[in-house]
Amino acid sequence: MAYVSPAEEIAPGERTGRFRIGGDQPVLDADGRSRISVEDMAVALIDEAELPRFVRRRFTVGY
């Protein structure tokens, strides 16, 4: 089991497959925004379910 904290801004968009994963702190882009598309968030969740890296820990995803 893992705990996921989504980015501050999560909205439908493009699936890029290019996102970063962080721990307890939000992942920020070059403009200081914490954001992710719903499509990339789904990929990150499936990746974690298939190959757990954050067992009993929280992670976040963003660009």
Side-chain angles (χ1 to χ4, degrees), residues 17-29:
R18 295 172 29 198
F19 49 82
R20 295 178 294 141
I21 297 177
D24 288 333
Q25 301 300 318
V27 176
L28 305 175
D29 65 13

Side-chain angles (χ1 to χ4, degrees), residues 15-43:
R15 176 182 171 191
T16 67
R18 295 172 29 198
F19 49 82
R20 295 178 294 141
I21 297 177
D24 288 333
Q25 301 300 318
V27 176
L28 305 175
D29 65 13
D31 296 323
R33 293 171 54 197
S34 170
R35 62 187 185 87
I36 190 79
S37 71
V38 172
E39 293 80 359
D40 279 336
M41 187 70 199
V43 171

Side-chain angles (χ1 to χ4, degrees), residues 2 6 27 40 42 47 56 60:
V27 176
D40 279 336
D47 287 351
R56 296 186 184 162
T60 189

